[in-house]
Every structure is written in C-alpha cells, then in structure tokens.
Amino acid sequence: MLLQARQPKMKVPVIAFLFVILFGWNSFAWEVEIGVRQQMPRIGVGEQEYEDDAGEKRSIKPEIETTAIGQAYHLGLRFESFFIDMDVSQFKYDSSIDASNDAVSTDTDITATTRETRIGVNYYLERELAGILAGGGFSQIEEILESNNNTWTHKTVSPYLKFGFDLIFYSFRVRYEQTYLGIGEHSVQINSIGFFLTF
C-alpha cells in the first residue's frame, strides 16, 4: 500500500495551474485536454478511523456489498512530452457496518462515497494513432459513510501513480487508465475508460 502524506493544502497547486492556463497560453506551445472518465475502482478495505456527526472518532471497517462505480472530470495541459493533470472525481458503493462495531448497535446498511481532487504530472509518448502515459501526483480525498441515522467521514491526502494508453483519432482520444492510491488503510486500484478532446 502507498504511504500516506499528511494534509497539505491543495489551493496553491490549483491556483498555479489556473495561472498557467490564463497567462501562459501565448508564451508556450501548450495543448489543452478536457474530458470525462468512467471509473470502476477495486478496493481492498481496512479498518480505519472516521469522525461521526458529533465529532467522535470511530474505528470502522466497511464491508463492500456492490461494485464501486464513478465518474471523473479532467483538465490537462500538455507541453511537449509532459502533461499537467487536474481531475475531480467521485465514486460510490453500497456497504454495511457489522453490529460488533461500537459505532452502531445493529447491522447497518450504508452508502460509501469517495470524492477526490487530483493534481499530477505525466510523461506522455505519442506515435501516430496511439499514445502511452505514466505519471503521478497527489490526491485530496474525502470518504463518507452514510446511514439513515449518521455520517462518518475520513479525510486524507495520498500520493498516486497511474499508467495508461490512448487511441487517437485526430483531436479525439479514447484512454484506458489504471490509477493506484491509498485511502487511509484502504488500497485502491481505479480502472477507467475516458473520452477526451485536445485543442
């Protein structure tokens, strides 16, 4: 499992990213990429600490009941062989908490939602109708477990690694990616298929 970083502020990288878009456009040979990605994460769940509505810390290991699915929105800047990426994503799955856990008094059905804001750098190699990429960065993550009576939240910042390949049709790209990250004691591999426009 990837080592966890403590929670640095994500505002500075995001502001720098937007500054480059607004003021660096004419100075460099940038390409802009926008797109949407469908995600199907595979999650190895571990027990970790969550904070409930009352501010109390609880150790919970949610049980996965359904396949996790989600969606991500992507903005990228390419300069020569490098991409700066910014993604906002969310995925969710049905889950449960066993009655043996002191956070609940009976077996409890919950919905687990994970929200991410990622920023990173990729190396990109393009040849005719195909491309490959590898990169990494940091993701600011909020995981929310929600039942009818309570909500438990875990927040962290995690490094991530990703690999992928493209099929290129002029300015349109179809991309398959695998992303690896940790969410506290959870290990996550996110498989995704995305559709992108470059200009």
Side-chain angles (χ1 to χ4, degrees):
M1 183 169 20
L2 297 172
L3 294 175
Q4 297 298 304
R6 291 300 170 193
Q7 299 198 19
K9 299 292 184 182
M10 296 292 284
K11 291 182 180 177
V12 173
V14 171
I15 291 170
F17 187 81
L18 295 174
F19 181 85
V20 170
I21 293 173
L22 294 173
F23 300 104
W25 183 264
N26 293 325
S27 303
F28 304 100
W30 294 106
E31 273 188 351
V32 174
E33 180 179 79
I34 58 173
V36 63
R37 185 183 295 116
Q38 295 294 318
Q39 302 184 121
M40 185 175 288
R42 296 173 57 189
I43 306 167
V45 175
E47 184 173 317
Q48 65 184 4
E49 196 170 76
Y50 294 82
E51 185 174 302
D52 66 16
D53 289 337
E56 304 239 351
K57 306 286 188 182
R58 304 287 187 180
S59 290
I60 300 173
K61 182 181 179 181
E63 300 296 329
I64 299 176
E65 307 288 351
T66 60
T67 301
I69 56 172
Q71 195 167 42
Y73 299 95
H74 169 83
L75 173 64
L77 281 178
R78 180 180 173 190
F79 180 66
E80 296 183 349
S81 296
F82 292 91
F83 258 112
I84 301 171
D85 280 350
M86 188 170 72
D87 287 16
V88 176
S89 74
Q90 177 176 295
F91 60 85
K92 62 174 58 181
Y93 57 91
D94 292 335
S95 183
S96 63
I97 303 174
D98 192 88
S100 61
N101 191 289
D102 65 0
V104 295
S105 57
T106 62
D107 290 349
T108 302
D109 293 330
I110 59 173
T111 300
T113 303
T114 301
R115 297 177 182 142
E116 282 190 84
T117 303
R118 290 189 214 152
I119 189 162
V121 177
N122 305 310
Y123 181 74
Y124 187 79
L125 185 61
E126 182 178 316
R127 291 291 182 271
E128 296 181 357
L129 300 178
I132 59 172
L133 63 93
F138 286 90
S139 180
Q140 182 171 287
I141 303 167
E142 181 180 39
E143 183 188 11
I144 302 165
L145 310 180
E146 189 171 11
S147 73
N148 290 333
N149 301 317
N150 209 340
T151 300
W152 300 269
T153 304
H154 177 84
K155 295 181 181 180
T156 190
V157 172
S158 173
Y160 71 86
L161 297 173
K162 74 175 179 177
F163 309 92
F165 62 86
D166 285 353
L167 295 176
I168 303 169
F169 307 95
Y170 302 101
S171 60
F172 180 72
R173 297 166 193 259
V174 179
R175 178 174 302 157
Y176 172 77
E177 282 186 7
Q178 285 188 352
T179 304
Y180 300 86
L181 71 155
I183 304 174
E185 298 301 318
H186 305 340
S187 59
V188 184
Q189 175 189 319
I190 301 175
N191 300 295
S192 64
I193 184 81
F195 305 92
F196 303 89
L197 284 175
T198 60
F199 52 91

